[in-house]
Amino acid sequence: MATQVNGEKPPTSSASIKHFSSIPVVADGISTFKSNKYGAKSLDLTSAGYEKFVKPIVPYLSGPYQYVSPYVQKADSIGDSAISKLETRFPVVKKPTDEIINDGKTIVFSFTPVKKGFETKDYLLNTYNTEFNKSNEKGLLAYGKAAVGTTLIVSVHTFYWLKSFVGQKGTEAKEATNEKLNN
């Protein structure tokens, strides 16, 4: 039976721990930890340690607990309000875990160098596969023809891009030169 302090029973669980564990990412992390064989084993060992070492001492701590109980309750309420402020300031923590992961992937994969890297890889693989499928050969010769064909196609596309880039800059340079000469 729990010891009464000033006629009040101490809380059986922490409001801040309940609030923190209600955050979707934390709740999913806890369930993942419990379902993992190493996590489950560590929880079993912790429970066994509590049963063997801590539980026999708990009755002796009821006297000192009455003195620290108000401070523990105050710390718990401060922790609970801090978690509420965190949820207000960063509403993303209230989102389901899958949604947070998808948002993170969207941010990472929309980042230009990463996006361009994947687009380039897809372009090269598609060009290579097209060239490989065009080949009537089998074996190593087909792979070689596909590699040479891909190299030529990518080179031509690169030169066209370079021509358009240089042509645009050349036009801008001519316009700037004419403007300077006319003034």
Side-chain angles (χ1 to χ4, degrees), residues 118-131 150:
F118 280 113
E119 288 175 358
T120 303
K121 177 195 75 145
D122 292 340
Y123 164 73
L124 288 172
L125 288 176
N126 288 337
T127 305
Y128 179 82
N129 287 333
T130 303
E131 288 299 306
T150 301

Side-chain angles (χ1 to χ4, degrees), residues 67-125:
Y67 298 111
V68 296
S69 174
Y71 302 108
V72 170
Q73 290 174 356
K74 182 66 176 174
D76 187 39
S77 71
I78 290 171
D80 190 38
S81 66
I83 294 169
S84 295
K85 286 181 183 177
L86 176 88
E87 288 178 335
T88 304
R89 182 169 262 195
F90 302 105
V92 71
V93 299
K94 294 179 187 176
K95 288 183 175 182
T97 306
D98 294 337
E99 194 174 324
I100 293 172
I101 290 171
N102 289 336
D103 290 350
K105 284 180 181 178
T106 302
I107 289 169
V108 168
F109 291 124
S110 65
F111 185 58
T112 303
V114 174
K115 184 178 178 183
K116 284 296 176 194
F118 280 113
E119 288 175 358
T120 303
K121 177 195 75 145
D122 292 340
Y123 164 73
L124 288 172
L125 288 176

Side-chain angles (χ1 to χ4, degrees), residues 1-5 8-12 58 62 65:
M1 175 149 188
T3 307
Q4 291 188 357
V5 179
E8 300 174 7
K9 280 191 167 184
T12 56
V58 170
S62 62
Y65 180 75

Side-chain angles (χ1 to χ4, degrees), residues 51-72:
E51 291 293 327
K52 188 171 187 174
F53 298 113
V54 178
K55 196 171 186 179
I57 299 172
V58 170
Y60 299 110
L61 298 177
S62 62
Y65 180 75
Q66 68 181 346
Y67 298 111
V68 296
S69 174
Y71 302 108
V72 170

Side-chain angles (χ1 to χ4, degrees), residues 12 41 50 55-56 78 92 98 103 117 142 148 152 162 172 179:
T12 56
K41 183 67 175 173
Y50 172 79
K55 196 171 186 179
I78 290 171
V92 71
D98 294 337
D103 290 350
V148 170
L152 292 173
L162 192 59
E172 289 175 10
E179 188 176 306

Side-chain angles (χ1 to χ4, degrees), residues 8 14 19 27 35 37-38 41 56 59 62-63 71 85 88 100 123-124 134 137 139 141 153-154 177:
E8 300 174 7
S14 168
H19 193 166
S35 65
K37 70 177 185 176
Y38 299 113
K41 183 67 175 173
S62 62
Y71 302 108
K85 286 181 183 177
T88 304
I100 293 172
Y123 164 73
L124 288 172
K134 281 184 193 177
E137 306 292 330
L141 189 58
I153 290 171
V154 170
T177 304

Side-chain angles (χ1 to χ4, degrees), residues 150-164:
T150 301
T151 304
L152 292 173
I153 290 171
V154 170
S155 298
V156 168
H157 289 166
T158 304
F159 288 133
Y160 277 132
W161 173 81
L162 192 59
K163 178 185 169 192
S164 69

